[in-house]
């Protein structure tokens, strides 16, 4: 399991969330997204980051997570290149 | 599952929405409504739990997990809620037809934005959406069927 931290530039409301989730689905890999550890909004930090993480392939889950503009997030997955690409998307959209 | 119109206006195909993310159904399939340009109550399109309520958009998940997104105008996140007042509480159970918000599409237009409202079946494939309304719709009337 690999972690990749990133800052969400515009937050994950409907449109950017849809673009992000589509990129996750296109990658064909299982990825989770959550608030990074240390964020006061994270519920029940587990020390490894990704507390309260959700399946990044589900737009319903990602919308429910309600990431705000400028929030620090963590991506959890197996493929480092996929995580890097997704982080770049989050930091640019 | 029948999805009812959250507001009154003119139903139009999603591909006519002036935003590529909605127009290309990247968010999901559905239909859009150009609202009548006056203050309106926005109604719940299905019964279920109001899992997300923002000034510019909300999501209701039905008992079987299928969820509908209603987006009040395009790029309206930047209005920071000056165009709508919530009448429900995030997390509550709600019935189809119950009011979710009071909305002012005329303020969206005055801000130079599109008031078009996509009503989206989240995580649905296009072929499960049928009986899609087109033309004038009244809030609470059938909008489309999610098989």
């Amino acid at each position: 399991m690999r972690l990749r931290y990133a800052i969400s530039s515009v937050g994950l409301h409907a449109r950017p969330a849809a673009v992000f989730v589509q990129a996750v689905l296109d990658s064909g890999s299982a990825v989770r997204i959550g608030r990074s550890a240390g964020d006061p909004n994270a519920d029940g930090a587990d020390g490894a980051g990704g507390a309260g993480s959700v399946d990044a392939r589900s737009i319903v889950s990602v919308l429910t997570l309600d990431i705000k503009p400028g929030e620090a997030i963590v991506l959890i997955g197996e493929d480092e290149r996929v995580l890097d690409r997704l982080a770049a998307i989050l930091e640019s959209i | 599952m029948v999805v009812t119109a959250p507001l009154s206006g003119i139903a139009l195909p999603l591909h006519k929405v002036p935003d590529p993310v909605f127009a290309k159904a990247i968010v999901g399939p559905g239909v859009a409504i150009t609202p009548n340009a006056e203050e309106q109550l926005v109604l719940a399109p299905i019964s279920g739990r109001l899992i997300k309520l923002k000034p510019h958009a909300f999501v209701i998940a039905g008992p079987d997990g299928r969820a509908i997104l209603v987006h009040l105008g395009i790029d309206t996140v930047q209005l920071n809620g000056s165009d709508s007042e919530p009448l429900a509480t995030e997390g509550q159970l709600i019935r189809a037809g119950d009011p979710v918000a009071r909305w002012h599409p005329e303020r969206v237009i005055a801000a130079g934005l599109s008031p078009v409202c996509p009503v989206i079946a989240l995580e649905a494939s296009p072929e499960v959406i049928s009986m899609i309304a087109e033309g004038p719709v009244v809030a609470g009337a059938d909008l489309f069927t999610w098989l």
Side-chain angles (χ1 to χ4, degrees), chain B residues 10-33:
Chain B
I10 309 289
L12 73 163
L14 215 47
H15 68 81
K16 293 192 175 167
V17 173
D19 180 306
V21 178
F22 284 115
K24 293 179 184 166
I26 293 171
V27 188
V31 63
I33 299 175

Side-chain angles (χ1 to χ4, degrees), chain B residues 9-142:
Chain B
I10 309 289
L12 73 163
L14 215 47
H15 68 81
K16 293 192 175 167
V17 173
D19 180 306
V21 178
F22 284 115
K24 293 179 184 166
I26 293 171
V27 188
V31 63
I33 299 175
T34 300
N36 295 340
E38 59 208 24
E39 179 188 314
Q40 296 206 38
L41 285 180
V42 183
L43 310 181
I46 60 169
S47 298
R49 189 170 295 280
L50 186 57
I51 60 173
K52 186 53 57 184
L53 176 61
K54 312 284 281 182
H56 69 285
F58 62 90
V59 178
I60 298 176
D64 59 2
R66 290 189 288 178
I68 296 285
L69 166 77
V70 177
H71 205 277
L72 300 174
I74 304 299
D75 288 332
T76 39
V77 65
Q78 59 185 271
L79 296 178
N80 293 317
S82 62
D83 56 330
S84 75
E85 302 136 40
L87 298 175
T89 306
E90 187 173 287
Q92 78 165 77
L93 288 169
I94 198 162
R95 282 179 309 179
D98 285 350
V100 176
R102 187 184 307 281
W103 186 46
H104 299 272
E106 75 281 6
R107 294 183 190 168
V108 175
I109 296 166
L113 300 173
S114 167
V116 169
C117 296
V119 180
I120 304 293
L122 294 173
E123 291 166 25
S125 55
E127 57 274 14
V128 300
I129 302 302
S130 63
M131 307 285 284
I132 302 172
E134 193 158 0
V137 289
V138 176
D142 291 2

